[in-house]
Amino acid sequence: MEKIITHVLVHLCLLMNPHLWELASIQVKYLHKIGVQSPMAGHKLNEAQLQQALSTLSGWQIKEGKLYKEYKFDSFPTALGWMVTVGVHAEKMGHHPEWFNVYNTVRVNLATHDIGNAISNLDVELAKKMEEIYNS
């Protein structure tokens, strides 16, 4: 619990500092302007790739064409801490989840907008990272 609270405080400080946020935004805009793409490129998974990915992602399913999972936590602060930690990794990937939080529950939908809201390798990588953080 102490580890999660520490992560939350560090990430909230970074996210709430307007100077750091502004600097990161300028850097991303500049990189896009000179043609540098996100570190990972998304490609749509075929059915075999999707089934293989699901076999490695405990509790994940396809719901309305998106990867879906509902996470339960001991408390709201724990759920929020997990979301902040995942959010930092998502930002690094340039790939962001669609999620919904009520108290200790977080519902996650993952799809890649750039390829027509299909499930991509980026969604699988982010789901794996979510699992890793949840299980740590």
Side-chain angles (χ1 to χ4, degrees), residues 70-112:
E70 182 174 296
Y71 287 95
K72 292 281 188 178
F73 298 88
D74 292 334
S75 64
F76 174 73
T78 307
L80 181 61
W82 178 83
M83 290 178 77
V84 170
T85 303
V86 168
V88 170
H89 288 283
E91 185 64 21
K92 288 178 187 176
M93 290 176 67
H95 190 65
H96 305 95
E98 174 185 307
W99 52 14
F100 182 74
N101 168 243
V102 175
Y103 184 62
N104 69 334
T105 303
V106 179
R107 290 191 292 273
V108 179
N109 286 293
L110 298 175
T112 303

Side-chain angles (χ1 to χ4, degrees), residues 50 61-69 98 108-113 116-119:
L50 189 51
Q61 59 184 299
I62 299 172
K63 187 174 181 181
E64 299 177 9
K66 300 176 182 180
L67 278 180
Y68 171 83
K69 183 168 181 176
E98 174 185 307
V108 179
N109 286 293
L110 298 175
T112 303
H113 304 292
N117 289 323
I119 299 170

Side-chain angles (χ1 to χ4, degrees), residues 21-42:
W21 188 256
E22 183 180 342
L23 181 61
S25 296
I26 291 168
Q27 182 181 16
V28 168
K29 287 176 186 173
Y30 174 73
L31 291 173
H32 286 300
K33 183 177 180 178
I34 63 171
V36 176
Q37 298 301 313
S38 297
M40 297 181 72

